[in-house]
């Protein structure tokens, strides 16, 4: 079965602390993995995709096929990073549908 | 124009009403999606349209009826809904349905309340 697991509902850190939001997936083929972010009262937007291997707003995520993980990391959290983060998988060859994890709410305290 | 727009922002309807949600994009995208998002839950896919044709229906009840009149518009017709259908309905679009670098752009959603 295709599944995305985000084990933490809520992650609370202090400003300047490192952050790691965990994501594990279950899929037998070659998936595409994404991180989406939803700031308060804003629309869902793409943060990162594994294929690009980029850093956006200081966040990075590496696909580890051996561990079937795609954890999101940032070395120094900022208050403006507080948001809901969703890890999503798109099965290879699929008709575009995204399978979302349940999300992790990140709260960065001053 | 690089946004997906949705109207209305909010909708309150009774169980016997008929209403429609509208989604529009002018990015030339040929894939459009409807998602349902309940409070504190992730979005769940409902429908996928590819080149104006319905390609995925995730076993959605027939009281939800999608329509794609042209490549820029996506409607969701609602009839005889139940209170448990109350949710945020998200529309998204992407250049196509498959292939890499195929980001889905989401609209702000319509918050639906069924009384």
């Amino acid at each position: 079965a295709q599944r995305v697991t985000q084990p933490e509902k809520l992650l609370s850190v202090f400003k300047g602390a490192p952050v790691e939001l965990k994501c594990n997936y279950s899929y037998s083929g070659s998936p595409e993995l994404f991180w989406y972010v939803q700031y308060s009262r804003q629309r869902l937007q793409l943060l990162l995709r594994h294929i690009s291997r980029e850093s956006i707003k200081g966040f990075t995520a590496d696909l580890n096929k051996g561990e079937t993980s795609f954890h999101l990391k940032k070395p120094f959290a900022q208050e403006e990073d507080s948001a809901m983060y969703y890890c999503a998988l798109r099965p290879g060859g699929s008709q575009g549908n995204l399978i979302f994890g349940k999300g992790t709410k990140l709260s960065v305290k001053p | 124009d690089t946004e997906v727009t949705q109207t209305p922002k909010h909708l309150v309807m009774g169980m016997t009403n008929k209403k429609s949600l509208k989604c529009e994009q002018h990015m030339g995208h040929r894939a459009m999606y409807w998602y349902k998002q309940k409070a504190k839950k992730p979005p769940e896919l409902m429908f996928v349209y590819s080149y104006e044709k319905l390609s995925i229906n995730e076993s959605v009840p027939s009281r939800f009826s999608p329509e794609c009149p042209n490549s820029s518009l996506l409607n969701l017709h609602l009839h005889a809904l139940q209170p448990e259908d109350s949710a945020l309905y998200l529309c998204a679009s992407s250049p196509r349905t498959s292939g890499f670098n195929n980001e889905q752009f989401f609209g702000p959603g319509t918050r639906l309340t069924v009384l």
Side-chain angles (χ1 to χ4, degrees), chain A residues 5-104:
Chain A
T5 303
Q6 293 179 250
E8 301 133 333
K9 271 191 178 179
L10 173 66
L11 185 61
S12 187
V13 301
F14 285 102
K15 177 183 171 182
V19 164
E20 181 178 50
L21 287 83
K22 291 184 168 39
C23 172
N24 288 90
Y25 66 91
S26 174
Y27 178 64
S28 56
S30 294
E32 286 184 81
L33 275 299
F34 305 85
W35 276 99
Y36 278 82
V37 60
Q38 194 166 29
Y39 300 102
S40 179
R41 301 183 184 280
Q42 293 188 29
R43 66 184 68 199
L44 197 61
Q45 56 188 285
L46 179 68
L47 180 64
L48 284 177
R49 66 193 113 199
H50 90 270
I51 198 77
S52 302
R53 301 184 65 83
E54 57 203 340
S55 174
I56 303 290
K57 299 184 179 182
F59 285 98
T60 58
D62 290 318
L63 177 62
N64 186 324
K65 290 187 178 180
E67 296 183 358
T68 59
S69 68
F70 188 56
H71 303 326
L72 183 67
K73 299 176 185 179
K74 185 169 182 176
F76 308 103
Q78 303 298 313
E79 288 180 69
E80 55 266 30
D81 295 329
S82 296
M84 193 73 179
Y85 290 80
Y86 292 101
C87 183
L89 173 153
R90 186 165 71 204
S94 73
Q95 287 286 306
N97 53 300
L98 289 172
I99 300 166
F100 286 89
K102 292 189 175 181
T104 297

Side-chain angles (χ1 to χ4, degrees), chain A residues 6 9 30-32 34 36 38 42-47 49-52 84 86 90 93-103 105, chain B residues 3-5 33 35 37 40-45 48 50 55-56 58 88 90 94 96-108:
Chain A
Q6 293 179 250
K9 271 191 178 179
S30 294
E32 286 184 81
F34 305 85
Y36 278 82
Q38 194 166 29
Q42 293 188 29
R43 66 184 68 199
L44 197 61
Q45 56 188 285
L46 179 68
L47 180 64
R49 66 193 113 199
H50 90 270
I51 198 77
S52 302
M84 193 73 179
Y86 292 101
R90 186 165 71 204
S94 73
Q95 287 286 306
N97 53 300
L98 289 172
I99 300 166
F100 286 89
K102 292 189 175 181
K105 185 172 182 179
Chain B
E3 276 198 349
V4 175
T5 58
Y33 312 78
Y35 289 85
Q37 187 177 23
K40 300 188 179 180
K41 299 285 186 184
E44 292 180 356
L45 183 70
V48 180
S50 178
S55 61
I56 291 182
E58 291 285 354
L88 182 68
L90 297 171
S94 65
R96 53 203 174 281
T97 52
S98 60
F100 293 110
N101 290 326
N102 195 26
E103 175 183 348
Q104 287 189 24
F105 291 79
F106 283 83

Side-chain angles (χ1 to χ4, degrees), chain B residues 16-27:
Chain B
T16 58
N17 292 157
K18 279 187 183 181
K19 297 286 184 185
S20 296
L21 309 185
K22 182 178 171 182
C23 173
E24 198 164 357
Q25 57 86 16
H26 296 285
M27 294 179 277

